[in-house]
Amino acid sequence: MAVDPRLAGRRVHVKVPATTANLGPGFDTLGLALSVYDELDVAVREAPGATVRVEGVGEGEVPTDESNLIVRSIRHTFDHYGIEMPGLELVAHNVIPHGRGMGSSGAAIVGGIVAAKGLLEGIVDIDADGLLARATELEGHPDNVAPALFGGLTIAWMTPQGPQHKRLTVHRGVSLLVCVPESTTMSTALARSLQPASVPHEDAIFNVSRSALLIAALIQSPELLFAATEDKLHQNYRASAMPETDALIQALRAKGFAAVVSGAGPSILVLCGDPAQRLAAAEIVAENAATPWQSHMLAVDFKGATVVAHPVEAAA
């Protein structure tokens, strides 16, 4: 394949929100987009291959060549649509913490796919289903990439035809607190390995009821958040790998806060029905944490990933 000449000179800017998945009982299904963003500039160049400059989180740590996850996501998208990826220069402005359960890998994947969509504008039309399908192929499950793509609260599920999603608007009374340990990380693969292959029937029923209740709490009745965030499918099994996270969640829930593990952890998500509750929850974390934690009072991102194409500069 030859590089499509229409790609010459194209440049895009991408912005992708962090996410928090599971939300307690909604394992591998529910996710929220957060008001923390990674940004990405991608420019087509004449030389083949790709180079990446990382600024912020991951600088000096993540790959800066074609093995970078963003580049691999761009290439995956180009390959799917039968178009050769051109030479690229990328600048990644990273804010989302890595390995903390805030969807950093999902954001990288979505950033690459949305960048590819912007670069291919007018050449290939990639719709919402195509974006979610490509992202899920790389991520393995859609619960993080769906809110990163579409914003808000998302329900994601798999079908024989591929991943599907439904985006919902969160009640304006819901406020978010995300507490992030400064030094502790958690591998998603490790977290998943700690779960059993099967669970008791009553535990499955318990989570079905709480997941249904959680949707109602998030979009209509925030006063139900505490009861709605109970879980028996994954958090207890993973607790041994995140003892401080587990201890802080127990301390928060003992005071009536709807605290859960954010994604695979070790960060903590607290869903509050009143913005003032976030201050009290943050104080509990500060008083009980044995190591440094940062508490972030966040909003729900309602836009999801965005891409802006810069005008192609005319040849001199």
Side-chain angles (χ1 to χ4, degrees):
M1 292 186 295
V3 172
D4 192 309
R6 290 173 291 179
L7 291 168
R10 293 197 174 193
R11 297 181 298 130
V12 296
H13 179 80
V14 176
K15 186 176 181 179
V16 186
T19 55
T20 179
N22 302 328
L23 314 184
F27 182 65
D28 273 5
T29 301
L30 300 181
L32 275 173
L34 305 173
S35 59
V36 178
Y37 305 92
D38 281 353
E39 299 191 46
L40 175 67
D41 289 295
V42 183
V44 174
R45 68 182 186 188
E46 292 185 6
T51 57
V52 185
R53 186 170 85 244
V54 178
E55 300 176 350
V57 176
E59 184 175 353
E61 299 174 1
V62 301
T64 56
D65 57 14
E66 292 186 55
S67 66
N68 182 281
L69 182 56
I70 299 172
V71 178
R72 288 192 281 124
S73 301
I74 294 174
R75 183 179 295 281
H76 178 79
T77 307
F78 270 78
D79 288 348
H80 178 84
Y81 295 101
I83 299 174
E84 184 175 353
M85 187 184 81
L88 298 174
E89 291 184 357
L90 295 84
V91 181
H93 313 269
N94 293 343
V95 176
I96 303 171
H98 289 180
R100 302 297 201 282
M102 293 179 67
S104 60
S105 64
I109 289 169
V110 167
I113 291 170
V114 172
K117 172 183 170 64
L119 292 172
L120 289 167
E121 184 177 355
I123 302 172
V124 173
D125 179 27
I126 308 176
D127 61 13
D129 289 341
L131 291 172
L132 183 59
R134 303 292 80 73
T136 303
E137 287 164 0
L138 291 166
E139 178 77 343
H141 42 89
D143 57 333
N144 267 315
V145 294
L149 280 166
F150 309 117
L153 166 68
T154 57
I155 308 170
W157 67 98
M158 296 298 296
T159 73
Q161 293 73 40
Q164 306 293 321
H165 85 285
K166 174 64 178 177
R167 181 188 181 280
L168 300 171
T169 300
V170 177
H171 191 283
R172 62 183 181 181
V174 175
S175 299
L176 310 180
L177 177 73
V178 178
C179 303
V180 184
E182 290 188 4
S183 57
T184 307
T185 61
M186 171 56 68
S187 158
T188 300
L190 172 60
R192 288 182 174 275
S193 73
L194 298 172
Q195 294 175 237
S198 61
V199 297
H201 185 260
E202 57 268 26
D203 287 356
I205 294 173
F206 183 95
N207 268 60
V208 168
S209 68
R210 296 311 189 276
S211 296
L213 183 62
L214 182 54
I215 297 299
L218 286 169
I219 68 175
Q220 179 178 317
S221 305
E223 70 275 8
L224 297 174
L225 283 168
F226 182 78
T229 48
E230 294 178 300
D231 161 68
K232 291 189 176 182
L233 280 189
H234 66 102
Q235 293 183 134
N236 290 341
Y237 298 112
R238 298 173 170 183
S240 62
M242 299 178 284
E244 188 169 25
T245 295
D246 182 59
L248 291 173
I249 287 175
Q250 298 308 321
L252 286 161
R253 295 193 69 88
K255 296 293 186 180
F257 291 99
V260 297
V261 177
S262 178
S267 295
I268 296 169
L269 169 70
V270 186
L271 295 167
C272 300
D274 180 342
Q277 292 179 347
R278 297 185 295 183
L279 291 171
E283 288 179 2
I284 291 173
V285 171
E287 291 170 358
N288 291 274
T291 60
W293 286 62
Q294 295 291 327
S295 291
H296 305 279
M297 298 182 189
L298 304 177
V300 177
D301 169 85
F302 293 104
K303 287 186 177 181
T306 58
V307 58
V308 176
H310 298 288
V312 176
E313 297 178 359

